[in-house]
Amino acid sequence: MPEPPRPPLSGDRATGLATLRTLWTVRRFEEAVDDLFARGMMHGTMHLSIGQEASATGVCSALREDDLIASTHRGHGHCIAKGAELVPMMAELLAKDTGYCRGRGGSMHIADAARGNLGANGIVGGGVPIAVGAALAQQRLRTGRVAVSFFGDGATNEGAFHEAANLAAIWKLPVVLVCENNKYGMSFSTERSMAVATIAERAAAYGFPGVRVDGNDVDAVHAAATEAVARARAGEGPTLLECVTYRWKGHSKSDKNLYRTREEIEEWRALDPVTRFERRLVEACPGVGEEDVAAVRDAVRDAVRDAVRQAMAAPDADPADLLGDLPAAVFWQPVGTDARREGVAR
Ligand SMILES: Cc1ncc(C[n+]2csc(CCOP(=O)(O)OP(=O)(O)O)c2C)c(N)n1
């Protein structure tokens, strides 16, 4: 794969260490979530992006704070890389009233409007039209903001992806379509679900560039994303960015991993995007030593531990208050109740 243009994220000490911090934060946050599930302290299901940290980090570091993202069911990394705070994020996953969505969204439906995160999404491909719609709004309002849609390889087989890609192309919308190609949907491989060799080449059908990068190389992702974002902001329309990566863990909690070999998983673990970037910093970044990266690791460990502690101590979301703060609550009423009369809609 082509060398990323300079300057990379690893080019200077402050940027390099900040990037490393984001990578480790995504990794350690998800390890903590995995542990809380295993101990029966977190409920529902969740999808880990361990092994895929470089795509979220590389793309979001190419964005301005007020740019927008739409995420997926595997969205913890996107949320953190877009600047979410760990305590309300962990609280959301633990169904606490102090969570980003007051505990109603959980892992798959976190939104963080203040940081431009339009939300994770349990519907495969569902975030693509949302990001494209947001990009249309930015174009109309002339805000100069760009929207990014994150999605998996499986989502590119969905109608929603193709319709949204076409509209983004003909209207030259300021959107970047970021596919995290981790080789599988739930258990079905890309080789068996697509008759084309790469996701990137699908862009040709709509008349915009498709770029394939090593999605485990945060510098390479950042370089390609920077170019795509600049193109979008300049009014030249969308880019499809395919980040080739791998999830180390199963699809979700119920995955028995029967569709891939131990060898394949080991091969990809050797391409760990986090320790790979760490090594690059120590070997090539001016002024970064082993003690600096160790300090980042320690600080992240403490921040995640603290987030778990604070979130666990927070009050639980109250099911009796489920319809509160929902503007549409008046249109949806449990059978036999009148939400308007009972005053639950605010
Ligand atoms: C419209 C829709 N179809 C099916 C599902 C069930 N489902 C949840 S995740 C998933 C696989 C998605 O694969 P991909 O888009 O490659 O993302 P990844 O899980 O690999 O990150 C499926 C089929 C769903 N949630 N929504």
Side-chain angles (χ1 to χ4, degrees):
M1 290 190 196
E3 264 294 295
R6 302 290 138 189
L9 294 168
S10 54
D12 77 89
R13 186 175 188 278
T15 313
L17 292 177
T19 304
L20 185 65
R21 185 179 173 114
T22 306
L23 290 166
W24 273 123
T25 303
V26 178
R27 172 73 53 90
R28 295 287 186 241
F29 181 90
E30 292 206 309
E31 285 172 350
V33 167
D34 202 19
D35 179 59
L36 288 165
F37 259 90
R39 289 193 286 142
M41 296 163 98
M42 197 177 265
H43 305 285
T45 188
M46 48 93 186
H47 308 77
L48 299 175
S49 64
I50 291 179
Q52 301 187 185
E53 296 87 349
S55 49
T57 305
V59 169
C60 288
S61 60
L63 294 176
R64 288 195 325 220
E65 204 179 341
D66 64 348
D67 286 329
L68 304 164
I69 65 164
S71 179
T72 68
H73 56 285
R74 203 177 298 290
H76 305 150
H78 312 143
C79 196
I80 291 169
K82 194 65 177 68
E85 288 168 36
L86 295 186
V87 178
M89 199 178 154
M90 190 60 84
E92 185 59 32
L93 269 68
L94 286 164
K96 299 289 185 170
D97 200 46
T98 54
Y100 268 115
C101 307
R102 297 192 58 201
R104 294 160 185 170
S107 165
M108 268 196 282
H109 298 99
I110 290 188
D112 178 12
R115 302 234 169 44
N117 183 348
L118 301 172
N121 203 313
I123 299 170
V124 172
V128 193
I130 292 173
V132 167
L136 174 62
Q138 305 318 309
Q139 186 190 63
R140 288 289 166 107
L141 296 168
R142 298 179 196 278
T143 63
R145 292 179 184 175
V146 166
V148 164
S149 173
F150 287 102
F151 48 88
D153 42 276
T156 69
N157 298 325
E158 291 276 356
F161 166 79
H162 295 280
E163 294 176 37
N166 190 53
L167 288 179
I170 59 171
W171 292 334
K172 288 204 180 303
L173 297 181
V175 67
V176 183
L177 305 177
V178 178
C179 178
E180 297 179 293
N181 179 1
N182 61 17
K183 292 170 69 81
Y184 297 92
M186 282 168 78
S187 58
F188 208 51
S189 69
T190 47
E191 284 87 20
R192 296 173 67 206
S193 60
M194 294 173 13
V196 285
T198 71
I199 306 280
E201 67 197 83
R202 293 189 146 169
Y206 302 103
F208 54 80
V211 181
R212 191 172 212 238
V213 290
D214 178 348
N216 279 15
D217 180 341
V218 68
D219 276 327
V221 173
H222 177 78
T226 301
E227 211 174 309
V229 168
R231 194 182 127 77
R233 226 185 289 285
E236 292 166 26
T239 302
L240 174 59
L241 178 58
E242 176 186 1
C243 301
V244 181
T245 185
Y246 199 77
R247 59 170 158 76
W248 294 4
K249 300 276 182 166
H251 167 73
S252 68
K253 287 316 286 176
S254 53
D255 189 344
K256 303 272 183 297
N257 252 328
L258 300 176
Y259 52 91
R260 52 187 196 171
T261 60
R262 188 183 295 269
E263 289 72 33
E264 182 181 288
I265 298 171
E266 284 311 315
E267 239 171 70
W268 280 91
R269 284 176 72 104
L271 300 172
D272 179 353
V274 182
T275 52
R276 187 171 160 193
F277 186 70
E278 193 171 278
R279 270 199 312 277
R280 185 178 298 165
L281 283 186
V282 172
E283 285 163 15
C285 185
V288 177
E290 291 286 357
E291 66 290 356
D292 297 306
V293 301
V296 168
R297 262 186 259 130
D298 288 351
V300 167
R301 180 200 58 212
D302 292 349
V304 171
R305 272 189 195 159
D306 189 51
V308 173
R309 214 172 12 245
Q310 284 195 52
M312 295 280 281
D316 289 332
D318 182 357
D321 191 31
L322 199 60
L323 297 184
D325 292 335
L326 294 179
V330 74
F331 301 115
W332 180 87
Q333 302 166 20
V335 175
T337 64
D338 182 338
R340 195 192 302 263
R341 196 181 54 229
E342 290 165 16
V344 288
R346 291 178 202 159

